[in-house]
Amino acid sequence: MDLKLDPSRDDLPLMANTNHILVKHYVLDLNVDFESQIIEGSIVLFFESGNRFEKQSGSTKETCQSESSEACRFRMPEPCHSPGTDTRTFSPKTGYNDFAICVKGEKDTSGKDGNHDNPEQACGISSSTYCCDTGNHRNEEFLLVLDCCDLSVLKVEEVDVAAVPGIEKFTKSPKLTVVSEELRNQIVHELVTLPADRWREQLDYYAGCSQAPGCGDLLFDTDTWSLQIRKTGTQTATDFPHAIRIWYSTKPQGRSVTWTSDQSGRPCVYTIGSPINNRALFPCQEPPVAMSTWQATVRAAASFVVLMSGENSAKPTQLQEGCTSWHYYVTMPMPASTFTIAVGSWTEMKPELCSSKDLAAERSLSPSETDSRYVGICGHVEYPCRFQNLSATTQEIIPHRVFAPLCLQDACQETLLHLIPPCLSAAHSVLGTHPFSRLDILIVPANFPSLGMASPHIIFLSQSVLTGTSHLCGTRLCHEIAHAWFGLAIGARDWTEEWLSEGFATHLEDVFWAAAQQLAPHEAQEQQELKACLRWLRLQDEVRNSPQEMQVLRPNKEKTGHVSDSGSSVIKHGLNPEKVFMQVHYLKGYFLLRFLAQRLGDETYFAFLRKFVHTFHGQLILSQDFLQLLLENIPEEKRLGLSVENIFRDWLESSGIPQPLQRERQAGAECGLARQVSAEVEKWIRVNRRPRKRKRREAEEVFEKLLPDQLILLLEHLLEQKTLTARTLHSLEKTYHLPQQDAEVRHRWCELIVKHKYTKAYKDVERFLQEDQVGRWVHKQHGPRTCGHDLSLPSSLRLCALQAMGVYLYGELMLGEDARQQQVARRCFELTKEQMDRSSAEVVAEMLL
């Protein structure tokens, strides 16, 4: 049944008709132009028709029912100079100008998404508002629908793959005499289904086909969220051309890419992993089930370094006129949303040389590890899998490179480089085979709206992790490394189940970091209990200050994973602006996994986790896939009433605090590290109560040295105090060297400064707003404040998650209605607004009005 939905601004449509036809491989050929802030060129898509479409064969009755029929009008290019078919010689500027006349009738897609009168519908896509995708219509032409937004599509053409030298090996004919659509599609079918051991040959032929001439323009149209393509007379996906080329360019304001300057003032561009993912970078199939491989050639000025999701450590090829070309590829099929690119004047940081033993450490395996290192049959589609490679299974530390703006070279050398080998080794010791063969780590520009982001073969880290001790850098690095397994190698089939990625990464970051530090078991347990204490406080805040409907980890419930007949779907709350600030999927997911680990015991739980990774790597899952396999592996005596149904009920499908977690926190005693913080808080309260002139007999308070997480907890408790004197704040600053701590600690310190108008430390607030605009896991323990409408903070900002650290401070500076604090806010915003991410800048600008 084709479910309908009229999406509101809070729901993100995935328009591609993936049940009819699937992209198996992308070949991108792009030019990066920093002057115009445009990426332009071509992309070639290789298809296989979908099985579901074949089974339906004419049963689908989707039609284009828009009142104005705008979505059903297609453009055939008029006679004019069009882009050449050789993507290596295509001049984007010339092609764009020459082709502009052909698309003069293009609709304006920058406005409204359409009418949104029926918010009750919950799954699928409304054909009347958005969708013009079709199946096999008996008397209608097949329509290919791709996810596309903020792109200028210039031309779409069929590719004559039969013109590639040597391609006849993929046909039954020794010589190609008569070339038909059927023959071209047969060639593509043979190419995309080559066995994994012929991957190099496959990539070469993909490249050759991508350079083949066009053999006919295709009709196309665009709307807000999609690119729609058809070929006259083609009624089924099977008959539709299986190799097409799209000429296009991005737009400077496109939401998938960020054009900015790095910390050294040099221009750069990177993908941001925004809610719309990559559809404003290239036309694609965004639904996660559209697993594909890709290869890309990217050209930029010779002074720039191109980094990308790719298995190879690309080196530049010098072209004419000061231009270089970079080529990357992947052979592991993954969703298009995982594709990442970053182009800038990055400097490579050279780590100390590791021995060959470190890089490919082959050692005898302990009994607890052997279950994750055997070479067995994989459950995914065929590709060159590292889990099938014995040498890869024993490689503790994969090859890695580190890039950053030149001005951060020393900070990287001091803080980051030495952490990578032990963190990679720790991850391997817990989960086994690294899913990816190599890793690049990039310190991204200051406007990056997160502390980190993981993509295949590349991790983005914020500059904020480089300050203070190694704790924040290490934990964040471990979190992103964990995503190689959970989020990338194993992905969620329904994007609303974010906990399957973020909950696992949050839980595993503690485990990896403890192993990387080589902590004794009791020390590791104490630190993890302290983390649980902090996260418990944050979850309570999240629940108090966010809409109930957005606290649910499985909002689609029994409809999770369901799509329309065409394969289109919608991401619930996908465009809700509050969503990016919320951490409920991190926190509740983390506590669920912690609950299960405690129920099973760590040894049993992590042995199961390795089995789970081995079973599901390279695949997409739903919550029940994990839970069912888990319960099958739990001894009967440890289940104690656990079932998939009651885990859904208690943890995944309800808002608020899960009842099992409530009972655990109420019954649990405070951990030793937290008790130590409580004792220190009492000392500071006594110091704050003392008169300025103390009696000589009074002894000075002796304060204990605290870990970074203990400092966070200490400052959270002190933020609850109604008043702290300037003398107390000065002593606090000197005792813990707060201006030199990591970003999370300094954010709490800045809040104390603002709350108590501690003018001597305003410089610390200004530094934070200019250098550390963002960060993760900083939630407010004290309650939300009320204020006038024009200065009101969204509840999500009071939680101060990822993007909200700096934004929250701007709000606090303005809400106090103190002239000097407001001056600080306005001055900092003027200095940083051009470097801030767009959404945060808009929120702050509204506050300052």
Side-chain angles (χ1 to χ4, degrees):
M1 183 179 68
D2 191 12
L3 301 173
K4 303 295 184 182
L5 174 71
D6 186 4
S8 73
R9 70 180 181 87
D10 294 344
D11 296 304
L12 175 66
L14 303 181
M15 303 293 288
N17 50 345
T18 54
N19 282 349
H20 300 153
I21 192 167
L22 281 173
V23 178
K24 305 302 289 185
H25 188 77
Y26 297 93
V27 180
L28 297 95
D29 195 275
L30 302 174
N31 300 281
V32 181
D33 188 335
F34 281 96
E35 184 176 345
S36 62
Q37 294 192 340
I38 285 175
I39 298 174
E40 50 198 345
S42 68
I43 182 170
V44 177
L45 293 74
F46 296 86
F47 296 100
E48 275 278 82
S49 52
N51 291 332
R52 185 169 179 179
F53 168 76
E54 298 292 343
K55 293 176 183 177
Q56 290 173 339
S57 186
S59 63
T60 305
K61 295 294 182 182
E62 296 172 344
T63 57
C64 301
Q65 300 171 351
S66 174
E67 292 180 7
S68 63
S69 297
E70 284 291 320
C72 298
R73 293 210 315 249
F74 287 82
R75 298 188 300 278
M76 175 61 79
E78 303 168 12
C80 66
H81 292 289
S82 62
T85 56
D86 183 355
T87 59
R88 295 190 185 279
T89 61
F90 169 55
S91 170
K93 290 187 175 63
T94 303
Y96 184 90
N97 293 334
D98 289 348
F99 198 67
I101 189 173
C102 303
V103 294
K104 59 185 178 182
E106 181 175 353
K107 295 177 297 183
D108 180 10
T109 62
S110 61
K112 302 296 182 182
D113 295 346
N115 298 321
H116 309 300
D117 299 323
N118 187 4
E120 297 177 0
Q121 295 170 311
C123 261
I125 296 294
S126 168
S127 60
S128 64
T129 302
Y130 284 106
C131 191
C132 192
D133 62 20
T134 62
N136 182 4
H137 295 235
R138 291 172 183 171
N139 298 311
E140 297 177 18
E141 293 168 337
F142 172 75
L143 184 65
L144 168 68
V145 181
L146 300 175
D147 294 295
C148 175
C149 180
D150 301 335
L151 294 178
S152 295
V153 178
L154 310 178
K155 179 178 179 176
V156 183
E157 63 182 354
E158 183 178 356
V159 177
D160 187 7
V161 295
V164 177
I167 203 71
E168 61 272 5
K169 69 189 296 182
F170 296 113
T171 70
K172 298 176 182 178
S173 305
K175 189 175 182 180
L176 300 181
T177 53
V178 179
V179 177
S180 63
E181 188 76 71
E182 183 179 2
L183 178 64
R184 294 191 190 98
N185 286 354
Q186 178 193 339
I187 290 171
V188 175
H189 171 76
E190 296 296 326
L191 178 56
V192 301
T193 56
L194 280 177
D197 59 0
R198 296 175 65 184
W199 66 269
R200 289 186 185 275
E201 178 187 11
Q202 187 181 46
L203 286 177
D204 288 342
Y205 274 102
Y206 277 139
C209 290
S210 73
Q211 301 302 316
C215 58
D217 292 337
L218 301 176
L219 302 167
F220 71 93
D221 198 11
T222 60
D223 60 21
T224 303
W225 292 110
S226 71
L227 167 64
Q228 305 143 16
I229 304 169
R230 67 180 174 90
K231 180 178 180 178
T232 302
T234 300
Q235 295 187 353
T236 70
T238 303
D239 298 330
F240 188 81
H242 281 25
I244 67 171
R245 180 184 295 114
I246 302 171
W247 299 91
Y248 76 98
S249 66
T250 63
K251 297 179 180 180
Q253 71 274 21
R255 284 166 280 178
S256 294
V257 293
T258 295
W259 299 87
T260 186
S261 298
D262 66 18
Q263 293 85 341
S264 295
R266 300 295 304 275
C268 60
V269 61
Y270 63 91
T271 51
I272 57 176
S274 70
I276 68 164
N277 291 314
N278 281 319
R279 67 190 69 188
L281 177 62
F282 58 91
C284 57
Q285 291 182 331
E286 283 277 26
V289 295
M291 305 271 275
S292 60
T293 53
W294 58 76
Q295 62 196 100
T297 299
V298 181
R299 287 172 293 279
S303 60
F304 292 101
V305 173
V306 177
L307 302 177
M308 208 187 86
S309 302
E311 294 172 19
N312 57 313
S313 298
K315 301 295 182 183
T317 299
Q318 189 66 41
L319 304 178
Q320 295 179 351
E321 301 177 358
C323 181
T324 56
S325 174
W326 302 71
H327 182 75
Y328 288 91
Y329 63 83
V330 299
T331 61
M332 174 183 175
M334 284 173 287
S337 59
T338 64
F339 180 100
T340 299
I341 189 170
V343 184
S345 300
W346 322 122
T347 299
E348 184 176 357
M349 310 292 121
K350 298 293 185 181
E352 295 181 6
L353 293 178
C354 299
S355 68
S356 58
K357 182 179 179 182
D358 289 333
L359 291 176
E362 296 194 22
R363 54 182 178 79
S364 59
L365 304 176
S366 66
S368 65
E369 293 172 317
T370 53
D371 57 345
S372 69
R373 310 292 163 77
Y374 64 87
V375 178
I377 298 174
C378 297
H380 53 71
V381 297
E382 189 178 9
Y383 67 83
C385 178
R386 285 174 56 81
F387 288 79
Q388 293 282 338
N389 185 327
L390 185 59
S391 63
T393 65
T394 57
Q395 190 178 29
E396 294 183 9
I397 304 169
I398 56 175
H400 51 276
R401 305 184 297 181
V402 178
F403 295 87
L406 181 61
C407 64
L408 294 177
Q409 182 173 3
D410 290 344
C412 282
Q413 294 281 358
E414 182 178 343
T415 305
L416 175 60
L417 285 182
H418 71 278
L419 293 177
I420 301 172
C423 289
L424 288 172
S425 181
H428 180 271
S429 71
V430 175
L431 294 181
T433 308
H434 287 279
F436 301 102
S437 59
R438 68 171 201 95
L439 177 65
D440 284 340
I441 298 175
L442 172 66
I443 303 299
V444 283
N447 70 338
F448 183 67
S450 169
L451 279 185
M453 184 178 80
S455 300
H457 312 283
I458 186 168
I459 286 173
F460 290 172
L461 289 179
S462 166
Q463 65 177 19
S464 296
V465 304
L466 300 178
T467 57
T469 65
S470 62
H471 175 76
L472 179 59
C473 187
T475 55
R476 177 49 41 186
L477 180 60
C478 287
H479 183 100
E480 304 308 335
I481 288 173
H483 276 312
W485 287 267
F486 294 96
L488 296 175
I490 302 174
R493 186 151 58 90
D494 187 315
W495 281 348
T496 61
E497 293 199 308
E498 295 166 88
W499 82 273
L500 289 170
S501 173
E502 298 300 353
F504 275 94
T506 303
H507 189 233
L508 287 168
E509 78 175 59
D510 297 349
V511 180
F512 290 179
W513 184 231
Q517 297 175 92
Q518 298 183 329
L519 297 180
H522 72 280
E523 291 179 294
Q525 183 177 359
E526 275 288 297
Q527 288 195 14
Q528 289 168 20
E529 287 293 335
L530 179 61
K531 275 286 192 183
C533 177
L534 286 169
R535 289 173 181 144
W536 167 244
L537 295 174
R538 295 161 190 165
L539 180 58
Q540 289 176 297
D541 280 326
E542 183 98 357
V543 168
R544 281 196 297 264
N545 296 304
S546 61
Q548 283 195 357
E549 63 176 357
M550 295 182 69
Q551 300 172 18
V552 180
L553 301 193
R554 195 170 178 260
N556 290 333
K557 299 186 179 180
E558 71 278 359
K559 295 180 181 178
T560 300
H562 288 198
V563 297
S564 71
D565 284 347
S566 70
S568 60
S569 61
V570 68
I571 306 304
K572 197 170 183 64
H573 306 302
L575 293 176
N576 191 314
E578 288 198 47
K579 184 67 160 42
V580 295
F581 296 105
M582 294 189 64
Q583 305 296 303
V584 66
H585 42 289
Y586 292 75
L587 295 167
K588 288 176 74 172
Y590 156 80
F591 277 113
L592 169 57
L593 295 172
R594 188 170 181 270
F595 166 77
L596 294 172
Q598 289 174 333
R599 179 69 63 90
L600 272 68
D602 281 350
E603 184 175 348
T604 301
Y605 174 76
F606 286 107
F608 160 74
L609 212 54
R610 288 189 289 273
K611 179 177 181 179
F612 177 75
V613 166
H614 225 294
T615 302
F616 283 104
H617 71 273
Q619 301 174 66
L620 300 171
I621 65 167
L622 298 174
S623 294
Q624 54 263 41
D625 297 315
F626 170 73
L627 295 173
Q628 286 168 356
L629 186 63
L630 175 73
L631 293 175
E632 289 172 7
N633 285 267
I634 293 181
E636 188 67 36
E637 65 273 11
K638 290 189 176 182
R639 290 191 188 180
L640 299 177
L642 282 181
S643 67
V644 173
E645 291 73 24
N646 60 32
I647 293 175
F648 277 173
R649 182 194 65 226
D650 294 340
W651 291 90
L652 303 182
E653 295 182 353
S654 59
S655 61
I657 305 291
Q659 285 300 315
L661 179 58
Q662 286 272 28
R663 291 192 293 267
E664 175 205 325
R665 300 310 302 183
Q666 290 168 1
E670 195 174 44
C671 71
L673 293 177
R675 287 197 300 271
Q676 187 180 16
V677 170
S678 298
E680 298 303 295
V681 170
E682 291 301 318
K683 294 178 186 177
W684 284 109
I685 292 174
R686 289 197 296 269
V687 167
N688 190 59
R689 288 173 178 168
R690 286 174 182 166
R692 181 176 296 275
K693 292 185 178 180
R694 293 184 294 108
K695 298 178 181 178
R696 291 186 178 181
R697 293 196 306 270
E698 279 189 287
E700 292 280 351
E701 294 283 3
V702 178
F703 296 101
E704 301 290 334
K705 185 177 180 180
L706 300 179
L707 298 170
D709 283 336
Q710 288 181 296
L711 273 178
I712 291 172
L713 186 58
L714 173 79
L715 296 178
E716 287 277 13
H717 287 316
L718 292 178
L719 278 164
E720 295 179 331
Q721 298 300 307
K722 186 175 181 179
T723 58
L724 292 177
T725 66
R727 176 170 46 84
T728 300
L729 292 168
H730 176 75
S731 180
L732 192 69
E733 175 185 359
K734 295 302 181 185
T735 299
Y736 301 116
H737 308 287
L738 294 176
Q740 287 75 51
Q741 296 291 338
D742 66 41
E744 291 188 315
V745 174
R746 285 186 288 112
H747 183 266
R748 267 66 167 209
W749 168 232
C750 288
E751 288 188 76
L752 281 173
I753 294 168
V754 174
K755 179 177 180 179
H756 300 291
K757 296 182 173 59
Y758 183 41
T759 57
K760 291 183 179 179
Y762 280 1
K763 64 183 184 300
D764 293 339
V765 177
E766 294 189 31
R767 175 196 164 199
F768 187 92
L769 290 176
Q770 294 176 41
E771 297 180 10
D772 299 278
Q773 297 173 21
V774 296
R776 188 179 293 277
W777 294 127
V778 184
H779 289 241
K780 303 318 311 140
Q781 188 176 345
H782 50 281
R785 303 182 182 187
T786 57
C787 54
H789 175 72
D790 59 329
L791 291 177
S792 60
L793 288 173
S795 62
S796 56
L797 296 189
R798 298 187 191 104
L799 295 174
C800 262
L802 254 152
Q803 302 181 23
M805 285 177 98
V807 175
Y808 186 90
L809 279 181
Y810 276 113
E812 295 288 275
L813 287 166
M814 297 302 294
L815 289 172
E817 299 184 354
D818 178 88
R820 185 168 177 183
Q821 288 192 355
Q822 292 183 350
Q823 184 181 18
V824 168
R826 293 191 172 96
R827 181 168 61 248
C828 289
F829 184 64
E830 282 302 313
L831 292 171
T832 61
K833 63 183 180 181
E834 297 302 324
Q835 285 74 45
M836 293 179 71
D837 79 279
R838 191 179 308 163
S839 60
S840 296
E842 289 173 355
V843 173
V844 174
E846 186 175 349
M847 290 177 182
L848 302 185
L849 289 177

